């Protein structure tokens, strides 16, 4: 459905203040009497209540530390976090601090706290009353004290309430002074206690240091260790030998690589050339040059004389001899490289043996060094702790009398000039307002004002309906008013003239979903609003019945419009058609999606049978029982009032009956049929809406939004 641009002024009000105002106006004397009584009680309270005065002193908790020296305080400041400042409120309200002020000011015998109350005075007249105990007097004093933090600041307000303004100021200042004195005394006491503890511990620490140093010296003498640096020579030898081993290992690796390359080179002239590169040899270079020269001469002679010439045989013999010489030279080079590799490997083995011996020697030597270091560390730790204790003892001894309090008074309490309670300017308006509210509540709780029935000006208690025409009696008596169903307005739907119900419903659904149908969507929205306002709250589902007085087509069109509107409002809707083909009967296997409206639909038999067959699942009652809470709304399309399939049992379990009328039908005719079939009392649960089916097919459909929130057009009313 296209969202409609609605104006709340065109919709019916959710809350009507008119009936409430009528109730209040009808009982205005009672409301004013209750308000006057409340005001009189407030005046009486002002007359008998003695005034009380509240004096307030303000202190600032300064989180900044005043540093006269670089020493750390034994007892640091309160701190700057909110929890620390809030904790000071409870410190000031503590029983110890207030008890000290209570005793110092001598308030045990003050009549304000130790005097008898009204009940005690009455009992004392009969000899049964006693004066309050000291604990009760202190409780009274404690209730008069109020300590509050000023927002999230560092300011704390200390207030005291008393009938005497001078006493209120004196006690408030006494509480503040006691709190500040306590803060300063806590720091001095903490310094003194810590200084005594430090001096006691220093004596034991000095003995521990002496024992640890003596143990170090005894161990050095036993193991002949002159100093902690004597083991450095052995370590340097290990480092040097390790460096030599690394170098020798690198040389051995290089010799092995050259030997492996010599083995891979072979004895050919090319291999001899590679050997000459690995190990430079003049003989190898000369042999290679001679071989290359003879090979060139042999190639030239073979080209000139052929392979059988004597010179060629001589040159081949010389080349064979030179090959043997080059092989011998290559073998000599390989032997030399192998000897170099063996020598490097022997050097590595010797260095590894020396290194292993030094490591064993170092291990044996380090055992004593480890024990010595442990003893030395223990002695050093004892000396460090002793130095810290000596330094801290000196600091705390010098901090006596130097620390300042972080709490200071920024506003001393003074005697107030005006009482804090009672306040007539506040108490009288508030009492009058509360009395007025109480009177209105009592008046509304009593319900509507009932006037005598014989008063012609008395309105009927039924909900006002739409236009109720007067019908003259046949005997000439005065006309009487007949109640009419609620009027839900007139709706002109698209594509309904001359067409079947199935095609008209499809045209209706298409028009609601297409763009540009804001007016039609607005009309359907108003219709949903009117329907919901007529329903009473109960567990789902809500059962709505749609019928007609003549044509069943109008009822199906109206039912499709209501069902699609509820579906677009995200409600689970089940459409139940009364009557139909047997193969579609029943809820469950007979449930289907209607091709025209797109709603879940089930066809059931008319509820005319009795006995066991009436409770069958094919009947309306059986479908409603099985639907349970699966659906929000059950929309029953019932036969028209003039058809044979109509039965009053269908209307027994519905919440609201909607009757679709044509423009030529009247609401009074519908009311007459309802009165005939169901009785006058059922008209209140019914409503009518006009479906205009006289518009030519293909014309643009527009609902009659000029008729207001669900009202019939004046032309329809005129026709009725």
């Amino acid at each position: 459905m296209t969202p409609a641009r609605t104006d709340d002024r065109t919709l019916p009000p959710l809350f009507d203040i008119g009936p409430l105002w009528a109730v209040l106006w009808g009982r205005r004397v009672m409301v004013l009497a209750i308000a006057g009584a409340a005001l009189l009680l407030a005046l009486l309270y002002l007359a008998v209540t003695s005034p009380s005065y509240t004096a307030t002193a303000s202190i600032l908790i300064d989180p900044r530390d005043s540093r006269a020296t670089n020493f750390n305080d034994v007892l640091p400041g309160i701190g700057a976090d909110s929890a620390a400042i809030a904790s000071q409120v409870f410190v000031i309200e503590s029983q110890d601090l207030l008890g000290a002020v209570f005793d110092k000011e001598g308030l045990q015998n003050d009549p304000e706290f130790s005097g008898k109350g009204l009940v005690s005075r009455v009992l004392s007249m009969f000899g049964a009353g006693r004066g309050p105990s000291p604990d009760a007097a202190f409780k009274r004093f404690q209730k008069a004290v109020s300590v509050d933090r000023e927002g999230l600041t560092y300011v704390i307000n200390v207030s005291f309430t008393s009938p005497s303004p001078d006493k209120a100021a004196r006690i408030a200042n006494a509480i503040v002074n006691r709190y500040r004195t306590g803060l300063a005394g806590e720091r001095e006491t903490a310094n003194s206690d810590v200084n005594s503890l430090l001096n006691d511990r220093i004596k034991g620490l000095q003995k521990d240091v002496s024992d640890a140093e003596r143990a170090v010296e005894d161990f050095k003498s036993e193991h002949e260790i002159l100093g902690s640096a004597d083991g450095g020579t052995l370590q340097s030898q290990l480092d040097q030998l390790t460096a030599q081993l690394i170098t020798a290992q690198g040389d051995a690796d290089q010799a092995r690589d050259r030997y492996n390359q010599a083995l891979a080179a072979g004895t050919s002239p090319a291999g001899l050339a590679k050997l000459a590169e690995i190990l430079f040899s003049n003989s190898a270079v000369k042999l290679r040059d001679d071989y290359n020269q003879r090979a060139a001469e042999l190639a030239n002679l073979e080209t000139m004389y052929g392979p059988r010439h004597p010179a060629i045989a001589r040159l081949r013999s010389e080349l064979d001899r030179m090959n043997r010489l080059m092989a011998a030279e290559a073998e000599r080079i390989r032997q030399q490289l192998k000897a170099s590799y063996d020598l490097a490997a022997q050097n590595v083995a010797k260095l590894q043996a020396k290194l292993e011996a030094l490591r064993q020697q170092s291990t044996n030597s380090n055992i004593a060094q480890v024990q010595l270091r442990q003893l030395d560390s223990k002695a050093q730790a004892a000396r460090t702790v002793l130095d810290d204790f000596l330094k801290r003892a000196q600091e705390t001894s010098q901090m006596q009398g130097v620390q300042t309090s972080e709490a200071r008074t920024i506003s001393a309490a003074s005697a107030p000039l005006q009482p804090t309670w009672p306040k007539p300017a506040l108490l009288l308006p508030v009492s009058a307002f509360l009395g007025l509210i109480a009177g209105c509540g009592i008046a509304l709780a009593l319900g509507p004002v009932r006037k005598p029935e014989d008063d012609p000006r008395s309105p009927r208690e039924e909900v006002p309906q739409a236009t109720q025409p007067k019908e003259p009696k046949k005997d000439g008596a005065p006309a009487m008013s007949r109640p009419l169903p609620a009027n839900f307005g007139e709706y002109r739907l698209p594509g309904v003239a001359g067409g079947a119900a199935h095609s008209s419903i499809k045209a209706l659904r298409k028009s609601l979903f297409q763009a540009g149908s804001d007016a039609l969507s607005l009309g359907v929205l108003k219709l949903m609003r009117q329907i919901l306002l007529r329903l009473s709250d109960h567990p789902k589902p809500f059962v709505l019945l749609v019928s007609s007085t003549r044509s069943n087509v109008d009822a199906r069109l109206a039912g499709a419009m209501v069902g699609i509107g509820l579906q677009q409002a995200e409600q689970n809707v089940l459409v139940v058609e009364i009557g139909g083909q047997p193969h579609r009967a029943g809820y469950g296997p007979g449930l289907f999606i209607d091709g025209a409206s797109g709603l879940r639909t089930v066809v059931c038999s008319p509820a005319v049978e009795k006995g066991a067959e009436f409770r069958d699942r094919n009947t309306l009652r059986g479908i409603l029982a099985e639907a349970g809470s699966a659906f929000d709304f059950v929309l029953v399309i019932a036969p028209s009032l003039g058809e044979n399939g109509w039965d009053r049992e269908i209307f027994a379990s519905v919440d609201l009956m909607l009757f679709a009328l044509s423009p030529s039908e009247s609401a009074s005719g519908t009311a007459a049929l309802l009165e005939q079939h169901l009785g006058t009392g059922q008209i209140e649960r019914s409503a009518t809406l006009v479906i205009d089916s006289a518009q030519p097919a293909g014309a643009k459909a527009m609902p009659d939004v000029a008729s207001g929130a669900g009202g019939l057009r004046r032309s329809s009313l005129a026709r009725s």
Side-chain angles (χ1 to χ4, degrees), residues 36-49 422 427-432:
L39 186 61
L40 182 62
L41 290 176
L43 291 174
L44 182 62
Y45 175 78
L46 292 174
V48 301
T49 302
L427 190 59
L428 293 178
V430 170
S431 61

Side-chain angles (χ1 to χ4, degrees), residues 258 272-282 284-285 329 332-337 340:
R258 287 197 299 270
L272 189 61
K274 292 182 180 179
L275 290 175
E277 293 176 358
I278 298 172
L279 182 63
F280 181 76
S281 175
N282 291 328
V285 174
E329 182 64 20
R332 186 190 65 80
I333 292 174
R334 284 195 294 271
Q335 292 297 328
Q336 185 178 354
L337 291 175
S340 298

Side-chain angles (χ1 to χ4, degrees), residues 556-578:
R556 293 192 62 187
L557 288 174
M561 181 173 63
V562 173
I564 295 173
L566 291 173
Q567 187 182 58
Q568 293 303 311
E570 299 182 354
Q571 301 295 314
N572 293 327
V573 182
L574 174 65
V575 178
V576 180
E577 295 184 4
I578 304 296

Side-chain angles (χ1 to χ4, degrees), residues 184-196:
E186 287 178 359
R187 290 196 169 189
E188 295 295 333
T189 303
N191 285 336
S192 178
D193 295 341
V194 169
N195 196 16
S196 300

Side-chain angles (χ1 to χ4, degrees), residues 632-715:
D632 299 316
F633 285 86
V634 175
L635 193 62
V636 181
I637 309 298
S640 63
L641 295 178
E643 294 184 6
N644 295 329
W646 186 90
D647 187 356
R648 65 181 301 161
E649 293 291 341
I650 300 176
F651 298 83
S653 58
V654 300
D655 296 301
L656 181 63
M657 297 178 289
L658 301 177
F659 292 93
L661 308 180
S662 63
S664 61
E665 295 178 281
S666 64
S668 60
T670 304
L673 289 175
L674 288 175
E675 184 176 358
Q676 177 184 354
H677 291 83
L678 302 177
T680 308
Q682 299 298 326
I683 298 180
E684 296 181 356
R685 296 193 300 119
S686 63
T688 61
L689 65 159
V690 177
I691 302 298
D692 191 355
S693 60
Q695 184 179 358
K700 186 176 181 181
M702 292 292 292
D704 188 5
V705 297
S707 61
L712 285 171
R713 296 195 313 171
R714 295 180 180 178
S715 59

